[in-house]
Short mmCIF file of all heavy atoms in Angstrom, two decimals:
data_model
loop_
_atom_site.label_atom_id
_atom_site.label_comp_id
_atom_site.label_asym_id
_atom_site.label_seq_id
_atom_site.Cartn_x
_atom_site.Cartn_y
_atom_site.Cartn_z
N GLY A 243 -5.17 0.49 -27.07
CA GLY A 243 -4.62 1.76 -26.59
C GLY A 243 -5.24 2.95 -27.27
O GLY A 243 -5.72 2.85 -28.40
N ASP A 244 -5.26 4.06 -26.56
CA ASP A 244 -5.71 5.33 -27.10
C ASP A 244 -4.51 6.27 -27.00
O ASP A 244 -4.22 6.80 -25.92
CB ASP A 244 -6.90 5.86 -26.31
CG ASP A 244 -7.47 7.15 -26.88
OD1 ASP A 244 -6.71 7.92 -27.53
OD2 ASP A 244 -8.66 7.40 -26.69
N ASN A 245 -3.80 6.44 -28.11
CA ASN A 245 -2.58 7.23 -28.08
C ASN A 245 -2.83 8.68 -27.69
O ASN A 245 -2.01 9.28 -26.98
CB ASN A 245 -1.88 7.17 -29.44
CG ASN A 245 -1.22 5.82 -29.69
OD1 ASN A 245 -0.99 5.06 -28.76
ND2 ASN A 245 -0.93 5.54 -30.94
N ALA A 246 -3.94 9.22 -28.13
CA ALA A 246 -4.24 10.62 -27.82
C ALA A 246 -4.40 10.84 -26.31
O ALA A 246 -4.04 11.88 -25.78
CB ALA A 246 -5.49 11.07 -28.56
N LYS A 247 -4.94 9.84 -25.63
CA LYS A 247 -5.16 9.93 -24.19
C LYS A 247 -4.06 9.26 -23.38
O LYS A 247 -4.11 9.27 -22.15
CB LYS A 247 -6.51 9.30 -23.83
CG LYS A 247 -7.71 10.00 -24.44
CD LYS A 247 -9.00 9.31 -24.00
CE LYS A 247 -10.23 10.02 -24.58
NZ LYS A 247 -11.50 9.35 -24.17
N HIS A 248 -3.07 8.68 -24.06
CA HIS A 248 -1.99 7.94 -23.38
C HIS A 248 -2.60 6.92 -22.41
O HIS A 248 -2.17 6.82 -21.26
CB HIS A 248 -1.06 8.90 -22.63
CG HIS A 248 -0.44 9.94 -23.51
ND1 HIS A 248 0.24 9.64 -24.67
CD2 HIS A 248 -0.41 11.28 -23.39
CE1 HIS A 248 0.65 10.77 -25.23
NE2 HIS A 248 0.28 11.78 -24.48
N THR A 249 -3.59 6.20 -22.88
CA THR A 249 -4.30 5.26 -22.04
C THR A 249 -4.32 3.89 -22.70
O THR A 249 -4.47 3.79 -23.92
CB THR A 249 -5.74 5.74 -21.79
OG1 THR A 249 -5.71 7.01 -21.12
CG2 THR A 249 -6.51 4.74 -20.93
N VAL A 250 -4.16 2.86 -21.90
CA VAL A 250 -4.24 1.49 -22.38
C VAL A 250 -5.34 0.78 -21.62
O VAL A 250 -5.58 1.05 -20.43
CB VAL A 250 -2.89 0.77 -22.23
CG1 VAL A 250 -2.50 0.60 -20.77
CG2 VAL A 250 -2.91 -0.58 -22.93
N TYR A 251 -6.04 -0.10 -22.31
CA TYR A 251 -7.16 -0.83 -21.73
C TYR A 251 -6.90 -2.33 -21.82
O TYR A 251 -6.21 -2.80 -22.72
CB TYR A 251 -8.44 -0.50 -22.49
CG TYR A 251 -8.74 0.98 -22.60
CD1 TYR A 251 -8.36 1.71 -23.72
CD2 TYR A 251 -9.39 1.65 -21.57
CE1 TYR A 251 -8.62 3.05 -23.83
CE2 TYR A 251 -9.66 3.01 -21.66
CZ TYR A 251 -9.26 3.70 -22.80
OH TYR A 251 -9.51 5.05 -22.89
N LEU A 252 -7.50 -3.05 -20.90
CA LEU A 252 -7.46 -4.50 -20.95
C LEU A 252 -8.90 -4.99 -20.74
O LEU A 252 -9.43 -4.90 -19.64
CB LEU A 252 -6.54 -5.10 -19.89
CG LEU A 252 -6.37 -6.61 -19.96
CD1 LEU A 252 -5.58 -6.99 -21.22
CD2 LEU A 252 -5.65 -7.14 -18.72
N GLN A 253 -9.50 -5.48 -21.82
CA GLN A 253 -10.83 -6.06 -21.73
C GLN A 253 -10.68 -7.54 -21.42
O GLN A 253 -10.03 -8.27 -22.17
CB GLN A 253 -11.58 -5.89 -23.06
CG GLN A 253 -12.96 -6.51 -23.08
CD GLN A 253 -13.93 -5.83 -22.11
OE1 GLN A 253 -13.96 -4.61 -22.02
NE2 GLN A 253 -14.71 -6.63 -21.39
N MET A 254 -11.24 -7.95 -20.29
CA MET A 254 -11.09 -9.32 -19.83
C MET A 254 -12.46 -9.99 -19.84
O MET A 254 -13.37 -9.58 -19.11
CB MET A 254 -10.50 -9.35 -18.42
CG MET A 254 -9.17 -8.60 -18.31
SD MET A 254 -8.39 -8.76 -16.69
CE MET A 254 -9.57 -7.87 -15.67
N ASN A 255 -12.60 -11.00 -20.68
CA ASN A 255 -13.85 -11.76 -20.79
C ASN A 255 -13.62 -13.20 -20.35
O ASN A 255 -12.49 -13.67 -20.28
CB ASN A 255 -14.35 -11.73 -22.23
CG ASN A 255 -14.67 -10.33 -22.72
OD1 ASN A 255 -15.08 -9.45 -21.95
ND2 ASN A 255 -14.47 -10.10 -24.01
N SER A 256 -14.72 -13.89 -20.10
CA SER A 256 -14.65 -15.30 -19.69
C SER A 256 -13.65 -15.50 -18.56
O SER A 256 -12.80 -16.40 -18.61
CB SER A 256 -14.28 -16.18 -20.89
OG SER A 256 -15.22 -16.02 -21.94
N LEU A 257 -13.74 -14.67 -17.56
CA LEU A 257 -12.76 -14.71 -16.47
C LEU A 257 -12.85 -16.01 -15.70
O LEU A 257 -13.92 -16.61 -15.53
CB LEU A 257 -12.98 -13.52 -15.54
CG LEU A 257 -12.42 -12.20 -16.08
CD1 LEU A 257 -13.06 -11.02 -15.37
CD2 LEU A 257 -10.91 -12.17 -15.91
N LYS A 258 -11.68 -16.46 -15.23
CA LYS A 258 -11.55 -17.70 -14.48
C LYS A 258 -10.97 -17.38 -13.10
O LYS A 258 -10.28 -16.37 -12.94
CB LYS A 258 -10.61 -18.65 -15.20
CG LYS A 258 -11.01 -18.97 -16.64
CD LYS A 258 -9.96 -19.85 -17.30
CE LYS A 258 -10.33 -20.16 -18.74
NZ LYS A 258 -9.29 -21.00 -19.40
N PRO A 259 -11.22 -18.23 -12.12
CA PRO A 259 -10.63 -17.99 -10.79
C PRO A 259 -9.11 -17.84 -10.83
O PRO A 259 -8.56 -17.05 -10.06
CB PRO A 259 -11.05 -19.24 -10.00
CG PRO A 259 -12.34 -19.65 -10.62
CD PRO A 259 -12.16 -19.36 -12.09
N GLU A 260 -8.46 -18.53 -11.75
CA GLU A 260 -7.01 -18.41 -11.85
C GLU A 260 -6.53 -17.08 -12.43
O GLU A 260 -5.34 -16.80 -12.45
CB GLU A 260 -6.41 -19.56 -12.67
CG GLU A 260 -7.06 -19.77 -14.01
CD GLU A 260 -8.12 -20.87 -13.98
OE1 GLU A 260 -8.92 -20.89 -13.02
OE2 GLU A 260 -8.15 -21.69 -14.92
N ASP A 261 -7.47 -16.24 -12.86
CA ASP A 261 -7.11 -14.89 -13.30
C ASP A 261 -7.00 -13.92 -12.12
O ASP A 261 -6.61 -12.76 -12.30
CB ASP A 261 -8.16 -14.34 -14.28
CG ASP A 261 -8.19 -15.11 -15.59
OD1 ASP A 261 -7.10 -15.42 -16.12
OD2 ASP A 261 -9.29 -15.37 -16.10
N THR A 262 -7.34 -14.40 -10.94
CA THR A 262 -7.27 -13.56 -9.74
C THR A 262 -5.85 -13.09 -9.47
O THR A 262 -4.90 -13.87 -9.58
CB THR A 262 -7.81 -14.33 -8.52
OG1 THR A 262 -9.21 -14.56 -8.71
CG2 THR A 262 -7.60 -13.55 -7.24
N GLY A 263 -5.72 -11.82 -9.12
CA GLY A 263 -4.42 -11.28 -8.77
C GLY A 263 -4.43 -9.77 -8.82
O GLY A 263 -5.45 -9.15 -9.14
N VAL A 264 -3.29 -9.19 -8.50
CA VAL A 264 -3.11 -7.76 -8.65
C VAL A 264 -2.57 -7.51 -10.06
O VAL A 264 -1.57 -8.09 -10.45
CB VAL A 264 -2.15 -7.20 -7.60
CG1 VAL A 264 -1.95 -5.69 -7.82
CG2 VAL A 264 -2.67 -7.47 -6.20
N TYR A 265 -3.24 -6.67 -10.77
CA TYR A 265 -2.88 -6.34 -12.14
C TYR A 265 -2.13 -5.01 -12.16
O TYR A 265 -2.64 -4.00 -11.68
CB TYR A 265 -4.11 -6.28 -13.03
CG TYR A 265 -4.62 -7.65 -13.40
CD1 TYR A 265 -5.16 -8.50 -12.44
CD2 TYR A 265 -4.54 -8.12 -14.71
CE1 TYR A 265 -5.61 -9.76 -12.76
CE2 TYR A 265 -4.99 -9.39 -15.06
CZ TYR A 265 -5.53 -10.20 -14.07
OH TYR A 265 -5.97 -11.46 -14.40
N TYR A 266 -0.94 -5.03 -12.73
CA TYR A 266 -0.08 -3.86 -12.78
C TYR A 266 0.05 -3.37 -14.21
O TYR A 266 0.29 -4.16 -15.13
CB TYR A 266 1.31 -4.18 -12.26
CG TYR A 266 1.36 -4.56 -10.80
CD1 TYR A 266 1.27 -5.90 -10.42
CD2 TYR A 266 1.50 -3.60 -9.81
CE1 TYR A 266 1.31 -6.26 -9.09
CE2 TYR A 266 1.54 -3.95 -8.47
CZ TYR A 266 1.45 -5.28 -8.12
OH TYR A 266 1.49 -5.64 -6.79
N CYS A 267 -0.07 -2.07 -14.37
CA CYS A 267 0.18 -1.46 -15.67
C CYS A 267 1.66 -1.14 -15.78
O CYS A 267 2.30 -0.74 -14.79
CB CYS A 267 -0.64 -0.17 -15.77
SG CYS A 267 -0.42 0.75 -17.31
N SER A 268 2.20 -1.30 -16.97
CA SER A 268 3.60 -0.99 -17.20
C SER A 268 3.75 -0.08 -18.41
O SER A 268 2.92 -0.09 -19.32
CB SER A 268 4.41 -2.27 -17.42
OG SER A 268 4.07 -2.85 -18.67
N TYR A 269 4.83 0.69 -18.39
CA TYR A 269 5.18 1.57 -19.51
C TYR A 269 6.69 1.50 -19.68
O TYR A 269 7.44 1.60 -18.70
CB TYR A 269 4.76 3.00 -19.21
CG TYR A 269 5.28 4.02 -20.21
CD1 TYR A 269 4.49 4.43 -21.27
CD2 TYR A 269 6.55 4.56 -20.07
CE1 TYR A 269 4.97 5.35 -22.19
CE2 TYR A 269 7.03 5.48 -20.99
CZ TYR A 269 6.24 5.87 -22.04
OH TYR A 269 6.71 6.78 -22.95
N SER A 270 7.10 1.30 -20.93
CA SER A 270 8.54 1.22 -21.22
C SER A 270 8.86 2.04 -22.45
O SER A 270 8.12 2.00 -23.44
CB SER A 270 8.96 -0.23 -21.47
OG SER A 270 8.72 -1.04 -20.35
N ASP A 271 9.95 2.80 -22.37
CA ASP A 271 10.50 3.46 -23.55
C ASP A 271 12.01 3.53 -23.37
O ASP A 271 12.57 2.87 -22.49
CB ASP A 271 9.85 4.84 -23.75
CG ASP A 271 10.10 5.81 -22.61
OD1 ASP A 271 11.13 5.68 -21.90
OD2 ASP A 271 9.27 6.71 -22.41
N SER A 272 12.65 4.31 -24.19
CA SER A 272 14.12 4.35 -24.16
C SER A 272 14.66 4.91 -22.85
O SER A 272 15.84 4.73 -22.53
CB SER A 272 14.64 5.17 -25.33
OG SER A 272 14.13 6.49 -25.28
N SER A 273 13.80 5.59 -22.07
CA SER A 273 14.28 6.18 -20.82
C SER A 273 14.16 5.23 -19.64
O SER A 273 14.76 5.47 -18.60
CB SER A 273 13.49 7.46 -20.52
OG SER A 273 12.16 7.16 -20.13
N GLY A 274 13.40 4.16 -19.77
CA GLY A 274 13.27 3.22 -18.68
C GLY A 274 11.92 2.55 -18.60
O GLY A 274 11.10 2.65 -19.51
N ASP A 275 11.72 1.86 -17.47
CA ASP A 275 10.49 1.12 -17.23
C ASP A 275 9.76 1.72 -16.04
O ASP A 275 10.39 2.07 -15.03
CB ASP A 275 10.80 -0.36 -16.93
CG ASP A 275 11.55 -1.02 -18.06
OD1 ASP A 275 11.25 -0.73 -19.23
OD2 ASP A 275 12.46 -1.83 -17.77
N TYR A 276 8.44 1.78 -16.13
CA TYR A 276 7.63 2.36 -15.06
C TYR A 276 6.45 1.45 -14.76
O TYR A 276 5.97 0.74 -15.63
CB TYR A 276 7.12 3.76 -15.48
CG TYR A 276 8.24 4.71 -15.83
CD1 TYR A 276 8.74 4.77 -17.13
CD2 TYR A 276 8.81 5.54 -14.87
CE1 TYR A 276 9.78 5.62 -17.47
CE2 TYR A 276 9.84 6.41 -15.20
CZ TYR A 276 10.31 6.44 -16.49
OH TYR A 276 11.35 7.28 -16.81
N TRP A 277 6.01 1.51 -13.50
CA TRP A 277 4.92 0.64 -13.05
C TRP A 277 3.87 1.44 -12.30
O TRP A 277 4.18 2.39 -11.60
CB TRP A 277 5.46 -0.44 -12.10
CG TRP A 277 6.39 -1.39 -12.77
CD1 TRP A 277 7.75 -1.28 -12.89
CD2 TRP A 277 6.05 -2.61 -13.45
NE1 TRP A 277 8.25 -2.34 -13.58
CE2 TRP A 277 7.24 -3.17 -13.93
CE3 TRP A 277 4.84 -3.27 -13.68
CZ2 TRP A 277 7.26 -4.37 -14.63
CZ3 TRP A 277 4.85 -4.46 -14.37
CH2 TRP A 277 6.05 -5.00 -14.85
N GLY A 278 2.62 0.99 -12.45
CA GLY A 278 1.56 1.52 -11.64
C GLY A 278 1.53 0.80 -10.30
O GLY A 278 2.29 -0.13 -10.06
N LYS A 279 0.62 1.23 -9.42
CA LYS A 279 0.53 0.64 -8.08
C LYS A 279 -0.28 -0.64 -8.08
O LYS A 279 -0.24 -1.39 -7.09
CB LYS A 279 -0.07 1.64 -7.12
CG LYS A 279 0.81 2.86 -6.88
CD LYS A 279 0.20 3.81 -5.87
CE LYS A 279 1.12 5.00 -5.61
NZ LYS A 279 0.56 5.94 -4.61
N GLY A 280 -1.03 -0.90 -9.14
CA GLY A 280 -1.78 -2.14 -9.24
C GLY A 280 -3.25 -1.99 -8.87
O GLY A 280 -3.62 -1.11 -8.10
N THR A 281 -4.05 -2.87 -9.45
CA THR A 281 -5.47 -2.93 -9.13
C THR A 281 -5.85 -4.39 -8.97
O THR A 281 -5.42 -5.24 -9.75
CB THR A 281 -6.31 -2.25 -10.23
OG1 THR A 281 -7.69 -2.23 -9.84
CG2 THR A 281 -6.18 -2.92 -11.59
N LEU A 282 -6.63 -4.68 -7.93
CA LEU A 282 -6.94 -6.06 -7.58
C LEU A 282 -8.13 -6.57 -8.39
O LEU A 282 -9.18 -5.92 -8.45
CB LEU A 282 -7.25 -6.17 -6.09
CG LEU A 282 -7.65 -7.54 -5.57
CD1 LEU A 282 -6.50 -8.54 -5.76
CD2 LEU A 282 -8.05 -7.46 -4.10
N VAL A 283 -7.93 -7.73 -8.97
CA VAL A 283 -9.01 -8.45 -9.67
C VAL A 283 -9.24 -9.76 -8.94
O VAL A 283 -8.30 -10.54 -8.75
CB VAL A 283 -8.63 -8.72 -11.13
CG1 VAL A 283 -9.66 -9.63 -11.80
CG2 VAL A 283 -8.50 -7.41 -11.90
#
């Protein structure tokens, strides 16, 4: 994560066919849970 940019990264190496799917970003704090719209891998 980069706190200054409020950005989180996921580096995915050695990918396998079973890693296929829609990847959703999530954010949680005391006010609740939030989701992104997803990105297809």
Side-chain angles (χ1 to χ4, degrees):
D244 184 332
N245 286 342
K247 297 181 179 180
H248 303 308
T249 299
V250 65
Y251 306 95
L252 185 69
Q253 178 65 43
M254 305 185 293
N255 298 328
S256 302
L257 282 161
K258 304 176 181 180
E260 52 263 44
D261 294 318
T262 294
V264 178
Y265 283 67
Y266 296 92
C267 179
S268 70
Y269 171 96
S270 299
D271 63 26
S272 59
S273 72
D275 302 321
Y276 302 88
W277 295 90
K279 294 183 178 181
T281 184
L282 177 63
V283 172

